């Protein structure tokens, strides 16, 4: 158990819908990262937040957005869902140590029908 | 932009044998970290081992060790005395000092045969 929690574990929805994925980082970790794992794109970095502020952005679609709240939990919002958005979405958190080692949550499996 | 290449989509080995997974990367940076992550059927991403580019000594964690060749931009993972629990997808990942995001390779599916 990495200490990072994600809810829900599974999500099934229809095209055009909007969903919210939630992540709670390890206690004390200020950074949260979101990654998408899909069959065709592999594991891709989406976005990073540090103590409530966006720090880095990767290949995140405009239909996707994220935020980090004062209690440091983070939410990833996916809207106007398409079939191709079906993927495993990981949240990771890191400490402020030398390596900024990222600890991954169990992921949320999103299926868009 | 950094890229990470894993040229072996699948590998299999008998239990107790040694196996080496390959990874190459491309970067213009001089300071960076390299990682191997394991993803078992449970889908959890688990850090196996990391290497700092400024360290010449290869990292070792129990049965797992790396062969880091900085000039060749190569970072292979050796698993000794392989066990059934080593069956998983293995991802090589890169992170440079100035950027906290991880760039992953496409993974190698490793199967340990009893």
């Amino acid at each position: 158990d990495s200490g990072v929690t994600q809810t829900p574990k599974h999500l099934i929805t229809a095209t055009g819908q909007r969903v919210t994925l939630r992540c709670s980082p390890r206690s004390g970790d200020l950074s949260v990262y979101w990654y998408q794992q899909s069959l065709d794109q592999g594991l891709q970095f989406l976005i990073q937040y540090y103590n409530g502020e966006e720090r880095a952005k990767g290949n995140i679609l405009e239909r996707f957005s994220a935020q980090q709240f004062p209690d440091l939990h983070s939410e990833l919002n996916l809207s106007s869902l398409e079939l191709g958005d079906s993927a495993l979405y990981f949240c990771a958190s890191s400490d402020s140590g030398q390596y900024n080692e990222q600890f991954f949550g169990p992921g949320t499996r999103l299926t868009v029908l | 932009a950094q890229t990470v290449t894993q040229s072996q989509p699948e590998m299999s080995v008998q239990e107790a044998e040694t196996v080496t997974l390959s990874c190459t990367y491309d970067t213009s940076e001089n300071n960076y970290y390299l990682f191997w992550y394991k993803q078992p059927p449970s889908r959890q991403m688990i850090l196996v081992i990391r290497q700092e580019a400024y360290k010449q000594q290869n990292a070792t964690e129990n049965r797992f060790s790396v062969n880091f060749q900085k000039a060749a931009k190569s970072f292979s993972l050796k698993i000794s005395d392989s066990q059934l629990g080593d069956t998983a997808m293995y991802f090589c990942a890169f992170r440079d000092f100035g950027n906290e995001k991880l760039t992953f390779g496409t993974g190698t599916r490793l199967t340990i045969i009893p």
Side-chain angles (χ1 to χ4, degrees), chain A residues 1-2 31 33 35 37 42-45 48 50 55-58 88 90 94-95 98-107 109, chain B residues 33 35 37 39 42-48 50-52 54-55 89 91-92 94-95 97 99-106 109:
Chain A
D1 185 356
S2 67
S31 273
Y33 311 77
Y35 292 86
Q37 185 177 27
L43 258 165
Q44 286 197 105
F45 168 74
Q48 178 201 359
Y50 178 84
R55 176 166 279 195
K57 223 170 187 177
L88 187 56
F90 284 108
S94 72
D95 58 22
Q98 177 185 355
Y99 306 109
N100 274 348
E101 181 177 330
Q102 294 184 26
F103 295 86
F104 282 75
R109 165 73 70 188
Chain B
Y33 297 107
F35 306 86
Y37 278 87
Q39 187 179 39
S42 66
R43 295 292 189 175
Q44 178 76 47
M45 293 289 289
I46 302 164
L47 178 65
V48 175
R50 68 165 170 255
Q51 174 78 42
E52 298 90 331
Y54 58 85
K55 288 188 177 179
M89 281 287 286
F91 292 94
C92 179
F94 172 99
R95 178 171 78 79
F97 271 30
N99 195 336
E100 294 175 39
K101 74 168 190 177
L102 291 170
T103 300
F104 287 91
T106 51
R109 184 177 302 279

Side-chain angles (χ1 to χ4, degrees), chain B residues 20-41:
Chain B
T20 299
L21 309 184
S22 301
C23 172
T24 58
Y25 57 94
D26 187 26
T27 183
S28 57
E29 301 292 330
N30 190 48
N31 294 317
Y32 48 87
Y33 297 107
L34 294 162
F35 306 86
W36 279 98
Y37 278 87
K38 168 184 177 181
Q39 187 179 39

